[in-house]
Amino acid sequence: MSSRILEKLKGLKISDIIFIIFIIISISGIYANHLERKELKGIDSKGKEKAKSIRIVLLIVGLLIYIYFLQDKIRNKDDEVSEFINNLDILASILFVLGGILFIYVEYKGEDDAIILE
């Protein structure tokens, strides 16, 4: 097999692993919500703190995945047919990374109560 096909197969295997990680992230997010519900019901007094810690870890893992996607887009830039579309794809990946950083900041520094503007 050619090296290009082997590289594509390797990329697909990594993609499969990333999808498995996303499934684990989703299940962990559901568990974090469960812990927060337990605190609201008065069962676990530290449920919200535990949920916040889990969410921060999940957001960091998600951010690392988006950074991997950005690196992959930049590395495979020459493979694309249209340079304009490729640049838009890279821009979208950069925005996802910035959004991930903002989500982590809001989760880490965010208030417990919602901010209501009147």
Side-chain angles (χ1 to χ4, degrees), residues 16-87:
D16 289 343
I17 293 169
I18 289 172
F19 283 122
I20 291 169
I21 291 171
F22 275 135
I23 291 169
I24 293 169
I25 286 173
S26 298
I27 291 169
S28 299
I30 293 169
Y31 179 69
N33 289 343
H34 172 73
L35 290 175
E36 194 168 343
R37 269 191 219 98
K38 284 174 74 173
E39 180 180 355
L40 292 172
K41 291 178 182 177
I43 298 171
D44 184 4
S45 63
K46 295 190 183 253
K48 198 168 205 168
E49 293 172 22
K50 293 175 188 175
K52 184 175 183 175
S53 298
I54 290 171
R55 286 187 187 112
I56 289 173
V57 169
L58 297 179
L59 287 170
I60 289 171
V61 170
L63 178 65
L64 292 174
I65 290 171
Y66 285 127
I67 289 171
Y68 168 78
F69 283 140
L70 175 61
Q71 176 189 8
D72 189 50
K73 300 273 185 220
I74 292 171
R75 187 173 6 138
N76 295 326
K77 184 178 180 179
D78 297 333
D79 293 344
E80 297 297 322
V81 176
S82 171
E83 187 174 328
F84 177 72
I85 297 295
N86 187 38
N87 289 336

